[in-house]
Amino acid sequence: MDVRRTGVVKLAVSDEQRDALHQTAEQYLSCANRTTDYCWSDTSFTECKTNKRQVRDALYSELREETELQAQLVQAAIRRAVEAVKGVVERWKKGQRVSRPTFTAETMDYDTRSATFYRRKASLSTVEGRVECPFVLPADSPTPYEQYVLAEDYKLRESALRYDAATDEFYLNISTQRIDDNDAEVPTDTGHPDQTVLGIDLGVNSLAVSSTGTFWQGDDYDHWCREFEKRRGEMQQRGTQAAHNALLRLSKREEAWRKQYIHTVANEIVSEAVEHDCDVIAFEDLTDIRERLPHAKWHHLWAFRRLFEYVEYKAPEQGVSVEQVEPNYTSQRCSRTDCGFTHDDNRHGEHFCCQKCGYEVNADYNAAKNIGLQYARKRTHRLRSSPTSGSGDAEVDLRVNGGTLNGESHQPIAGD
């Protein structure tokens, strides 16, 4: 039997956090209402758009560009709007009077990536970055939060942040599902109890490199970026109204070309993961990538972020999750599991040569393997320390060119 429980928790927010949450809700509601505008038809319910994937593909990039929301929140807003339209369409089919759904209440849906739960606080994604809000829990114990959210026999599903205008307070409705080995709702054994990860390295010379040895070169991308830049410069020098109009048209073509190019690479990365039976695609954390790649131009940084976002929403449809890991020393560390030596002299441009064991390989391929191994270590640590998980340790394999490496066998690096 499917047993679900919801724990309602009041949040203690500062004035700065309150402003960030209100701004986030405003943009979230804007995305949801934009989606219903796109989906709705006043003439016939057959003309209403209710396919989540098609709607997301049509709107995601545009809404992502127009807002400061994290990718997961944009997708959540789209999903909520499509579900609302589907519900109205069902009533319309029964002959009931209906109208286009409109969202006004400050309520946002968070998944386990956009919200992280600790014992006494939650970390929530906002337009101003992450905010950590302590819980206001009653003195009586056990609270619903302790009974369900912190319990080992319940797993987190999603949560909804709700603003109560009457009390000027924020609340989290945290949804959980009971873990039961005999429950048909719990995912069954797929024959692969452990995880296999595909590591992806992003760079200037190669737009992306996988731990399986597949390279997505950036030459073609760079070439056309230079061509578009050259054409913009020529039009700007003319200074005429006609040139200005042509510049606007060129900008739209360039934007469409960039998005299509990155979509193609994203699709191929997901296919690479599926082909090699990978459960996870691991990217490096892009937070400080500008500092790590000082020679990267703006169009490189744009491509890195969009590529991650596109893979992040495409991969789950194929049963593959997407994670980010700390990129510390992935370029300087030897990826051989019996070595792991780290030194600045190991890497020279596109060539990697370990100063300790002599292992020589393409530097980006070496980094891609290290990113996968970094996830393996992160995954084991997360399962050991998570207060809401009763899963225990899990073995994580890294998919490489010619087989797999077990993340557990990776030795500590020099200086760790």
Side-chain angles (χ1 to χ4, degrees), residues 103-139:
F103 297 92
T104 57
E106 289 191 39
T107 304
M108 296 180 287
D109 298 319
Y110 280 82
D111 62 15
T112 53
R113 290 171 293 179
S114 52
T116 304
F117 296 95
Y118 303 94
R119 179 165 291 275
R120 295 291 177 182
K121 63 182 179 180
S123 174
L124 303 174
S125 172
T126 74
V127 295
E128 298 294 337
R130 286 268 179 169
V131 297
E132 292 190 351
C133 303
F135 298 146
V136 181
L137 298 174

Side-chain angles (χ1 to χ4, degrees), residues 61-62 65 228 250-261 302:
S61 297
E62 181 178 346
E65 292 283 351
F228 280 117
L250 177 65
S251 297
K252 292 182 179 180
R253 289 200 301 271
E254 180 182 7
E255 180 182 13
W257 176 84
R258 288 181 191 277
K259 291 179 178 179
Q260 183 57 49
Y261 189 96
W302 180 91

Side-chain angles (χ1 to χ4, degrees), residues 12 31 49 58 70 82 121 127 133 229 271 274 306 316 378 380 387:
C31 286
K49 302 177 180 64
Q70 187 190 43
V82 174
K121 63 182 179 180
V127 295
C133 303
E229 187 174 357
S271 297
V274 173
R306 288 296 176 268
K378 168 194 171 185
T380 300

Side-chain angles (χ1 to χ4, degrees), residues 126-171:
T126 74
V127 295
E128 298 294 337
R130 286 268 179 169
V131 297
E132 292 190 351
C133 303
F135 298 146
V136 181
L137 298 174
D140 295 337
S141 186
T143 64
Y145 178 77
E146 294 169 328
Q147 286 180 302
Y148 306 124
V149 180
L150 295 184
E152 290 187 352
D153 56 343
Y154 280 84
K155 63 180 179 180
L156 289 175
R157 290 177 53 83
E158 63 272 329
S159 59
L161 179 70
R162 175 176 57 87
Y163 173 66
D164 188 337
T167 60
D168 194 28
E169 301 288 354
F170 283 94
Y171 295 86

Side-chain angles (χ1 to χ4, degrees), residues 331 344-353 355 361 363:
S331 296
D344 289 342
D345 292 340
N346 282 350
R347 177 164 187 168
H348 299 277
E350 298 183 46
H351 183 69
F352 180 91
C353 180
Q355 303 299 300
V361 72

